[in-house]
């Protein structure tokens, strides 16, 4: 039986590059959640595509790892790291000011997130508030602060949603509400972008990030099944695909959305879920 997946290291050959005149060092891409998983992948793909990336997270050590990997990949663009907590408005103000000071701020990727599993009856409201703050309020606040810059240069906001922005599972009420919320934000930006600022969201099923692969041994032990069964039955049970996505696959999607290939993608959702939400047996 095959081993359970581990988070892969991003290689240059995994990264798709798009020939787009705006993908150059004079243009800035601000990426949240960039210390780990999908956010790190978006930052690295953006840097390899030639952009000046301002990568932010509350986890400074993880950000160092992202910057080191960008150097190892010999990225055409750059990765500058800014440690900031997305629950603090002042830190987000400084972050946007830094990003706007590095060139034309044209791209914002809202990726940071967290999870909490408990039934509604017992859901701790401080965890609910933290999830809404990081996954809905902060993307809205960053969009608000970035909007004047994006309007000036022409730009795009990409938001990380999920299959949980389309349908829901039990015991994840805060996450479910947040992912439906981020799709509302995405469409609001499209409505108010006047064609100068586009937006899109990305909805995937399970992706091989530390957040997901770290849960596999515990879930296997709790349920008395193998780690592979956790992946195949619990995580991919409703999917037609039998492999989880890699973080870089999601990073590539963000850059396609930001590029001219996404010119008519405005307010829409890139549902890459292996058939999970649209089919059943
Ligand atoms: P991850 O845990 O690897 O990365 C999330 C990052 O967000 C972490 O680096 C964390 O430090 C950061 N973060 C959390 N709270 C913060 C705060 N207050 N301020 C600043 N940064 C903060 O997780 P991931 O799997 O890469 O998930 C990234 C996004 O993708 C999330 O929005 C998640 O909901 C979404 N998503 C993940 C999957 C998946 O299967 N991994 C699937 C669909 C959607």
């Amino acid at each position: 039986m095959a081993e359970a997946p581990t988070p892969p290291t991003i290689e240059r050959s995994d990264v798709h590059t798009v020939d787009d005149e705006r993908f150059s060092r004079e243009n800035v891409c601000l990426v949240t959640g960039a210390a780990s998983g999908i956010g790190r992948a978006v930052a690295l793909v953006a840097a390899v595509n030639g952009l000046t990336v301002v990568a932010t997270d509350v986890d400074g050590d993880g950000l160092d790892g992202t910057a080191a990997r960008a150097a190892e990949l010999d990225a055409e663009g750059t990765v500058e790291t800014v440690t900031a907590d997305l629950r603090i408005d002042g830190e987000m103000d400084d972050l946007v000011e830094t990003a706007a000071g590095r060139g034309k701020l044209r791209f914002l990727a809202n990726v940071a997130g967290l999870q909490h599993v408990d039934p509604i009856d017992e859901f701790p409201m401080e965890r609910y508030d933290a999830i809404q703050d990081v996954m809905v309020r902060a993307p809205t606040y960053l969009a608000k602060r970035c909007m004047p810059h994006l309007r000036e240069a022409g730009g795009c906001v990409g938001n990380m949603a999920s299959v949980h922005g389309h349908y829901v599972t039990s015991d994840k009420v805060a996450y479910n509400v947040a992912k439906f919320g981020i799709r509302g934000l995405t469409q609001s930006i499209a409505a108010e972008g006047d064609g100068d600022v586009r937006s899109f969201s990305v909805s995937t099923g399970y992706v091989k990030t530390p957040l997901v692969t770290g849960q596999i041994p515990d879930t296997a032990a709790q349920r008395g099944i193998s780690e592979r069964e956790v992946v195949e039955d619990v995580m991919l049970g409703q999917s037609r695909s039998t492999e989880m996505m890699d973080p870089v696959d999601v990073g590539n999607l963000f850059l396609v959305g930001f590029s001219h290939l996404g010119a008519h993608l405005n307010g829409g959702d890139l549902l890459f879920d292996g058939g999970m939400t649209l089919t059943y047996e």
Side-chain angles (χ1 to χ4, degrees):
M1 184 168 285
E3 291 298 310
T6 51
T9 302
I10 293 177
E11 303 296 340
R12 198 153 167 132
S13 57
D14 301 327
V15 176
H16 284 263
T17 52
V18 182
D19 190 9
D20 190 308
E21 62 180 14
R22 293 169 311 158
F23 288 179
S24 66
R25 281 197 184 198
E26 67 172 338
N27 294 316
V28 178
C29 179
L30 175 56
V31 183
T32 76
S36 177
I38 294 166
R40 172 179 285 183
V42 174
L44 292 176
V45 175
V48 170
N49 269 275
L51 286 161
T52 291
V53 176
V54 174
T56 190
D57 204 290
V58 76
D59 171 5
D61 291 343
L63 285 176
D64 290 346
T66 303
R69 191 67 194 144
E72 286 161 6
L73 291 173
D74 200 16
E76 279 73 1
T78 57
V79 174
E80 179 178 345
T81 61
V82 178
T83 305
D85 187 337
L86 295 179
R87 297 191 75 185
I88 301 174
D89 287 358
E91 296 195 8
M92 289 192 278
D93 291 339
D94 293 346
L95 173 65
V96 174
E97 199 180 316
T98 299
R102 297 297 178 265
K104 287 184 189 164
L105 177 50
R106 300 186 88 146
F107 305 106
L108 167 64
N110 285 307
V111 184
L114 60 159
Q115 180 60 279
H116 184 93
V117 180
D118 250 327
I120 294 172
D121 316 46
E122 294 159 22
F123 209 91
M125 290 313 286
E126 68 276 9
R127 291 293 291 164
Y128 183 90
D129 291 342
I131 287 172
Q132 301 310 317
D133 282 355
V134 173
M135 296 170 68
V136 184
R137 188 180 183 282
T140 307
Y141 191 80
L142 289 174
K144 171 186 161 92
R145 287 285 178 231
C146 289
M147 210 65 173
H149 303 286
L150 301 175
R151 284 192 198 283
E152 194 182 321
C156 187
V157 180
N159 292 318
M160 190 62 204
S162 167
V163 288
H164 295 95
H166 293 260
Y167 74 168
V168 307
T169 46
S170 301
D171 301 339
K172 294 184 178 175
V173 63
Y175 192 88
N176 297 333
V177 170
K179 291 306 188 187
F180 274 74
I182 197 86
R183 293 190 62 204
L185 170 63
T186 305
Q187 292 177 223
S188 298
I189 295 167
E192 296 184 28
D194 298 326
D196 299 322
V197 183
R198 289 189 298 108
S199 66
F200 63 90
S201 55
V202 177
S203 290
T204 66
Y206 287 95
V207 182
K208 284 178 227 163
T209 70
L211 185 83
V212 166
T213 56
Q215 298 169 21
I216 294 171
D218 283 348
T219 307
Q222 277 162 11
R223 299 188 182 215
I225 57 179
S226 72
E227 295 190 7
R228 193 69 212 173
E229 283 167 332
V230 172
V231 174
E232 288 178 355
D233 300 339
V234 180
M235 295 181 166
L236 294 174
Q238 292 191 60
S239 173
R240 301 308 127 194
S241 304
T242 53
E243 283 295 326
M244 283 192 212
M245 279 176 92
D246 285 349
V248 71
D249 299 331
V250 190
N252 285 329
L253 283 179
F254 269 81
L255 267 289
V256 167
F258 285 152
S259 78
H260 64 88
L261 297 175
H264 295 276
L265 175 66
N266 201 359
D269 181 66
L270 298 175
L271 177 63
F272 275 59
D273 70 347
M276 194 185 276
T277 59
L278 298 177
T279 65
Y280 69 98
E281 294 200 331

